[in-house]
Amino acid sequence: MAKGNTSLLKRRLDIAEIVRKQGEVKVDELSELLNVSGVTIRQDLNYLEQQGYLKRSFGGAIYLQPKDSFDKSHQESNNEAQNAYSDISLIMRCLSFINDGDTLCLLNGKITRKLIPYLYNKKNLTLIVNDLSFAMLAKDYIQGEIVLIGGVFNQKYTNFDKNDVQTLLVKYELSTVIFEIEAINTDDEIAISNAQLLEGYQLLLNNANCRIALLPSRMEENDTFGFASLQQIDVIILSNSTMAEYHQQITNCSFKQSSVNKDSVIYQNSMKK
């Protein structure tokens, strides 16, 4: 599993770099260069287009110039590449906790949305989401059932209440729930900025076998609301940019670093299995 995920990461980064350098490239050319099928290349291009790295063209892809003024200096190029590596590092960390046959609840966030195309090789997965855009994206990648919390399919559905979750839990046993959080409060609670989600999040947390909190780079300061103590979480995955802020607080709550690289770190609760 790990080898396959690593090769997927490398191939998609290679494709993004090839398109950036050449400006435009065809599927057949990428297939020959990377020694994979055209179907696989098209899946990769679909994912990279979803993430804004390129634009699909007839039979290939075109480099997508950033909307902001673009300075082609080495420093700025390196920053762009570093951001891409950081996001994908968090995605690959999450993937290591997802297995074939799982019932996965994936709650809205920047990284959790980017994770969806990488689930394409997970078999018999049941994916539960609370955002219509997640459900629409997942239908092209998920080999299994897709469930939208609340059952509303005609609008972007980001808010739900405990009744929606209770109805869901009658039918499904949750293997894993991934919360993309915005902060860890001073009272050791993981927190989000949408207070309307709190009761539903708490129910999902209390009924999942594995609870993962994901904290990417924080772009802005928002008022946040705690919904669970750190001790209730099994795994915390942080970008390295947030590790310095929270490392001591997390380790004081019986978490230990289980894996670290230049982009992200995993903490696991030593009081849980």
Side-chain angles (χ1 to χ4, degrees):
M1 186 70 69
K3 181 178 179 182
N5 287 337
T6 301
S7 65
L8 174 65
L9 165 62
K10 182 179 185 303
R11 186 179 68 247
R12 287 181 171 173
L13 290 173
D14 287 346
I15 290 171
E17 182 65 9
I18 291 168
V19 175
R20 186 187 70 81
K21 286 181 177 179
Q22 296 189 16
E24 184 172 4
V25 67
K26 298 297 183 183
V27 168
D28 290 345
E29 182 182 353
L30 289 169
S31 179
E32 183 176 351
L33 281 171
L34 300 173
N35 195 30
V36 294
S37 71
V39 171
T40 297
I41 293 296
R42 289 184 183 91
Q43 289 174 336
D44 292 340
L45 293 179
N46 286 340
Y47 172 76
L48 291 166
E49 183 178 45
Q50 288 283 345
Q51 307 312 321
Y53 294 118
L54 51 81
K55 182 175 178 60
R56 289 297 308 274
S57 65
F58 182 74
I62 300 171
Y63 177 58
L64 187 64
Q65 190 80 356
K67 292 180 181 178
D68 299 326
S69 58
F70 184 63
D71 177 2
K72 291 186 178 180
S73 68
H74 289 298
Q75 181 178 359
E76 191 150 333
S77 295
N78 286 341
N79 287 340
E80 292 277 338
Q82 185 60 40
N83 288 337
Y85 274 103
S86 179
D87 284 356
I88 296 177
S89 178
L90 291 170
I91 289 166
M92 304 311 286
R93 299 291 203 176
C94 289
L95 274 178
S96 68
F97 294 96
I98 302 169
N99 301 305
D100 293 346
D102 276 355
T103 298
L104 169 67
C105 186
L106 200 59
L107 299 169
N108 50 315
K110 180 186 75 169
I111 303 301
T112 49
R113 188 180 191 281
K114 288 185 175 184
L115 170 63
I116 290 173
Y118 283 87
L119 298 172
Y120 77 93
N121 63 347
K122 302 293 182 182
K123 298 177 181 177
N124 301 316
L125 190 71
T126 297
L127 179 65
I128 298 169
V129 296
N130 68 315
D131 189 314
L132 177 58
S133 69
F134 280 37
M136 296 299 291
L137 176 62
K139 69 183 177 62
D140 293 327
Y141 296 97
I142 299 302
Q143 302 179 48
E145 186 177 4
I146 302 166
V147 181
L148 184 62
I149 294 178
V152 177
F153 207 69
N154 61 355
Q155 64 181 7
K156 185 175 180 181
Y157 199 82
T158 56
N159 292 331
F160 57 95
D161 61 29
K162 63 181 181 181
N163 293 326
D164 297 323
V165 178
Q166 286 169 340
T167 300
L168 178 85
L169 293 172
V170 170
K171 183 175 180 181
Y172 299 96
E173 180 179 350
L174 299 182
S175 305
T176 301
V177 60
I178 300 179
F179 304 93
E180 186 166 327
I181 63 173
E182 296 178 53
I184 301 174
N185 291 340
T186 54
D187 56 359
D188 296 333
E189 283 192 322
I190 59 173
I192 55 175
S193 60
N194 188 342
Q196 292 180 316
L197 296 174
L198 296 179
E199 286 188 333
Y201 272 35
Q202 288 165 348
L203 270 175
L204 290 168
L205 181 141
N206 290 335
N207 287 275
N209 294 327
C210 178
R211 309 156 188 87
I212 299 174
L214 172 65
L215 181 56
S217 302
R218 288 209 283 162
M219 302 302 291
E220 58 185 34
E221 295 290 336
N222 296 314
D223 291 334
T224 57
F225 305 90
F227 67 92
S229 68
L230 278 174
Q231 286 85 354
Q232 292 176 274
I233 301 300
D234 299 283
V235 178
I236 301 173
I237 306 175
L238 269 66
S239 67
N240 275 2
S241 62
T242 53
M243 180 180 68
E245 180 178 358
Y246 293 117
H247 171 79
Q248 193 62 55
Q249 187 177 3
I250 291 171
T251 55
N252 286 346
C253 291
S254 302
F255 282 82
K256 295 186 181 300
Q257 281 189 8
S258 63
S259 179
V260 61
N261 62 30
K262 65 184 181 65
D263 297 306
S264 60
V265 58
I266 297 176
Y267 297 87
Q268 292 190 280
N269 192 336
S270 61
M271 304 300 291
K272 292 178 176 284
K273 290 184 180 182

